[in-house]
Amino acid sequence: GEDVEQSLFLSVREGDSSVINCTYTDSSSTYLYWYKQEPGAGLQLLTYIFSNMDMKQDQRLTVLLNKKDKHLSLRIADTQTGDSAIYFCAEIPNTGGFKTIFGAGTRLFVKA
Amino acid sequence: GAVVSQHPSRVICKSGTSVKIECRSLDFQATTMFWYRQFPKQSLMLMATSNEGSKATYEQGVEKDKFLINHASLTLSTLTVTSAHPEDSSFYICSARLLGGGPNTGELFFGEGSRLTVL
């Protein structure tokens, strides 16, 4: 079936790098996504990666995709207190009516 | 980017009353919108897919008569929580996908969310 799994919590010190990991089961997705949710708000797309890519870099963000292991990670360099939020990994399997499947979300705490 | 707006952002109501939440796509047309429910410190639960001009498709376990969805136009979907009870208190979020007019990456655009508290 379709499943996306993430660890629930991550705590880092300001200035350190954060790495949020995700595993997924359906390899048919064309894109994989990272969404960010700040307290009391909706989600916003942070970045995405095409399934034929291994890596994508966007300023402080680096996405790594290991298709063989079905593993996706998001690295945030020089983590700031403003990065404290919930980060959701997501995919859209090419089966199942084009629904977005979300992980449970990783709550990132950044300590000053 | 595309903007999705929800209203109201917060609503408090008495048990037994009905509450309507609106979801609007402000600068694009959305034939399909999605409604989610999010409990504190938990992930999103997809409740239903709202289809313009036709009936919504509900996920398993979601009561159709309890959560009425109407998608009467290409820019507006509404969720009505009927006869609300305290256990319906939650954060409700809508989203829409931008189709056409550029690379279709499948990105979802989310509303700001509506926090419902039923007393």
Side-chain angles (χ1 to χ4, degrees):
Chain A
E2 306 152 346
D3 198 15
V4 177
E5 293 191 356
Q6 302 176 237
S7 52
L8 295 182
F9 298 101
L10 177 65
S11 179
V12 300
R13 290 188 183 279
E14 191 174 23
D16 288 350
S17 293
S18 308
V19 179
I20 302 172
N21 294 301
C22 168
T23 57
Y24 58 95
T25 55
D26 195 312
S27 57
S28 67
S29 301
T30 303
Y31 296 95
L32 292 118
Y33 311 84
W34 285 103
Y35 284 86
K36 178 182 180 182
Q37 183 183 28
E38 299 194 359
L43 281 68
Q44 279 193 307
L45 183 68
L46 199 58
T47 186
Y48 65 91
I49 187 167
F50 187 54
S51 58
N52 282 351
M53 296 172 62
D54 298 324
M55 185 182 89
K56 179 180 179 182
Q57 186 140 6
D58 183 2
Q59 298 182 334
R60 292 192 296 123
L61 306 177
T62 304
V63 179
L64 295 178
L65 175 59
N66 182 327
K67 282 199 78 172
K68 176 175 169 289
D69 294 339
K70 297 180 186 174
H71 183 266
L72 183 73
S73 69
L74 173 69
R75 180 177 180 270
I76 305 172
D78 187 24
T79 312
Q80 303 297 306
T81 54
D83 295 324
S84 293
I86 305 175
Y87 292 82
F88 291 92
C89 172
E91 64 166 343
I92 305 177
N94 285 335
T95 56
F98 204 51
K99 287 181 194 172
T100 303
I101 308 298
F102 288 92
T106 299
R107 189 177 291 268
L108 175 64
F109 295 94
V110 182
K111 296 176 284 188
Chain B
V3 177
V4 174
S5 179
Q6 263 183 261
H7 177 82
S9 57
R10 289 180 180 271
V11 57
I12 300 172
C13 70
K14 290 183 179 179
S15 187
T17 59
S18 294
V19 174
K20 181 186 282 188
I21 301 169
E22 293 186 345
C23 179
R24 291 182 186 273
S25 55
L26 297 186
D27 51 359
F28 68 103
Q29 294 181 330
T31 55
T32 303
M33 290 184 174
F34 303 91
W35 286 97
Y36 303 84
R37 186 172 177 178
Q38 186 178 33
F39 292 99
K41 299 182 180 179
Q42 293 192 27
S43 186
L44 301 170
M45 182 190 83
L46 178 64
M47 299 174 66
T49 302
S50 171
N51 305 299
E52 187 268 334
S54 65
K55 290 182 181 179
T57 305
Y58 289 81
E59 295 299 302
Q60 195 172 7
V62 177
E63 298 175 62
K64 301 178 185 182
D65 296 332
K66 174 76 171 176
F67 299 100
L68 299 179
I69 291 173
N70 184 280
H71 195 149
S73 78
L74 287 170
T75 59
L76 174 65
S77 175
T78 60
L79 167 68
T80 301
V81 183
T82 62
S83 187
H85 287 94
E87 58 265 29
D88 298 324
S89 298
S90 193
F91 193 56
Y92 294 88
I93 312 176
C94 71
S95 72
R97 187 172 285 127
L98 181 63
L99 295 176
N104 182 8
T105 63
E107 175 183 0
L108 284 171
F109 296 91
F110 284 82
E112 308 93 328
S114 300
R115 183 161 301 283
L116 170 63
T117 303
V118 185
L119 303 176

